[in-house]
């Protein structure tokens, strides 16, 4: 074997490997490349509810405490020992107007009346005697005197003094009778006893607190109202209800003895000034006969001290837009599901909202679907898939695509029918 042949055999494997690599390279470079398809983001599933256009009766929700309109501290005007206590004069007891609640020992005051009556009798006798002497002096002057008699001659000063003494005696008698009547302690109204601070046998003096009572003819509830809530009620700041201009109705509710109760009240006036600490104006609602007629209507008496919820009837807004409260984003933003399956950010004019509803006056229409579920990184034009409150898919974009598919199917059917007609005619 020659040297040339040996060299060829030596480098032959290398040439084969290089040729194989070159072939693979050419195949890779000439192979068809797959087309790149840009993947569109999947639509975001959202829940939505129909926006309603209707007339809305606004309502202001607030809270307050039931308080008596009339409440007094029961105190005596005379001193003495307590000899009688009414069985109803106890915490929670009911009493009638003028009913004796406490009786103070009156023996000393009866004696004072007797002494005053004796002084009146003496003063009357002195006046009669002085009147007779004055008449006698006038008669003697007519018979014996000359000219005009002086007042002293006719005993007119003595007669005036006797009359004044009688008037003073009568005043003392009236005072003694008044003190005697004041030994019987009562209230000028029908009510209930809130507390009792005195008992049988106790000595009391004028001003000693015997207890605390309140009237049951009506109760009141002070309800805090913000400036926005006042505008919803459409009442002036200095409001006073009259027969011609009654106040808004108030539905008072509370859970009492494990049961939900409701009572009807009326907003009768607003407070005289805005509270300097809370910056709210208080409205006063009143309920008549809380232990009688109101108790029958509400199924239970409305006790003093109960903390209640109050819904005040406000003005009527014509053509308002109503949607679920969860549709509100921030202070005045709502997300709307547009036709074509996109999201639209709207600014709305909020009238009021509560835990269930959002009421606005503009920014949306009755045909809109308000998005109620959370949406992360929301933006105008974001692709969405809308789901209704009952779980049904109401995506407008899907409806449009389905209609396009239906039209394509109809075109295919028409084309196939035309081909069939041409074939039959050719045959």
């Amino acid at each position: 074997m020659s040297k040339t042949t040996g060299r060829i055999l030596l480098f032959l494997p290398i040439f084969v490997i290089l040729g194989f690599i070159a072939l693979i390279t050419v195949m890779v470079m000439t192979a068809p490349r797959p087309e790149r398809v840009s993947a569109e983001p999947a639509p975001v599933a959202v829940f939505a509810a129909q926006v309603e256009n209707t007339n809305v009766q606004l309502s202001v929700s607030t809270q307050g405490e039931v308080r008596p309109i009339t409440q007094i501290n029961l105190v005596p005007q005379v001193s003495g020992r307590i000899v009688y206590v009414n069985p109803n004069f106890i915490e929670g007891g009911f009493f009638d107007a003028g009913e004796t609640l406490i009786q103070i020992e009156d023996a000393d005051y009866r004696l004072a009346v007797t002494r005053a009556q004796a002084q009146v009798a003496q003063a009357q006798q002195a006046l009669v005697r002085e009147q007779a002497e004055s008449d006698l002096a006038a008669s003697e002057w007519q018979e014996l005197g000359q000219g005009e008699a002086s007042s002293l001659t006719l005993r007119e000063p003595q007669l005036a003094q006797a009359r004044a003494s009688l008037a003073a005696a009568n005043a003392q008698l009236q005072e003694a009778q008044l003190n005697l009547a004041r030994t019987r302690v009562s209230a000028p109204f029908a009510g209930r006893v809130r507390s009792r601070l005195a008992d049988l046998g106790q000595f009391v003096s004028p001003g000693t607190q015997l207890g605390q009572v309140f009237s049951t003819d009506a109760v009141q509830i002070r309800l805090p109202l913000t400036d926005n809530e006042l505008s919803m009620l459409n009442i002036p700041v200095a409001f006073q209800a009259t027969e011609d201009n009654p106040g808004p109705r108030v539905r008072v509710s509370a859970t009492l003895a494990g049961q939900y109760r409701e009572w009807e009240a009326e907003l009768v006036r607003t407070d005289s000034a805005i509270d300097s600490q809370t910056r709210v104006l208080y409205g006063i609602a009143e309920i008549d006969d809380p232990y009688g007629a109101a108790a029958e209507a509400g199924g239970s008496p409305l006790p003093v001290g109960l903390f209640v919820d109050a819904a005040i009837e406000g003005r009527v807004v014509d053509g308002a837009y109503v949607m679920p409260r969860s549709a509100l984003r921030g202070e005045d933003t709502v997300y709307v599901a547009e036709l074509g399956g996109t999201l639209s950010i709207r600014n709305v004019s909020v009238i009021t909202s509560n835990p269930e509803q959002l009421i606005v006056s503009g920014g949306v229409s009755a045909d809109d679907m308000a998005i109620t579920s959370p949406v992360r990184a929301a933006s105008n034009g974001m692709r969405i898939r809308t789901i209704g409150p009952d779980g049904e898919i109401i995506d407008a974009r899907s409806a449009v695509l389905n209609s396009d598919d239906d039209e394509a199917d109809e075109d295919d059917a028409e084309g196939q029918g035309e081909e069939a007609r041409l074939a039959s005619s050719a045959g």
Side-chain angles (χ1 to χ4, degrees), residues 10 24 58 105 125 224 246 254 269 271 273 281 291 315 381 417:
L10 179 63
I24 293 176
L58 298 182
E105 188 177 16
Q125 182 182 5
R269 65 184 182 278
D271 215 340
L281 182 67
Y291 293 92
R315 58 187 174 91

Side-chain angles (χ1 to χ4, degrees), residues 117-194:
Q117 290 173 342
Q119 291 178 358
V120 169
Q122 292 176 359
Q124 288 176 342
Q125 182 182 5
L127 177 60
V128 171
R129 184 175 61 252
E130 194 59 45
Q131 184 67 53
E133 291 181 357
S134 177
D135 294 341
L136 180 60
S139 177
E140 290 178 350
W141 179 261
Q142 289 179 356
E143 294 177 358
L144 304 176
Q146 296 180 355
E148 185 177 356
S150 64
S151 59
L152 188 60
T153 301
L154 299 178
R155 299 185 64 83
E156 291 180 354
Q158 292 84 345
L159 182 61
Q161 181 180 5
R163 289 172 177 168
S165 298
L166 178 60
N170 282 323
Q172 291 179 355
L173 175 60
Q174 292 177 2
E175 182 181 7
Q177 291 173 340
L178 185 60
N179 287 335
L180 178 61
R182 286 172 174 170
T183 59
R184 187 179 68 89
V185 181
S186 62
F189 50 77
R192 298 191 71 181
V193 180
R194 193 161 193 172

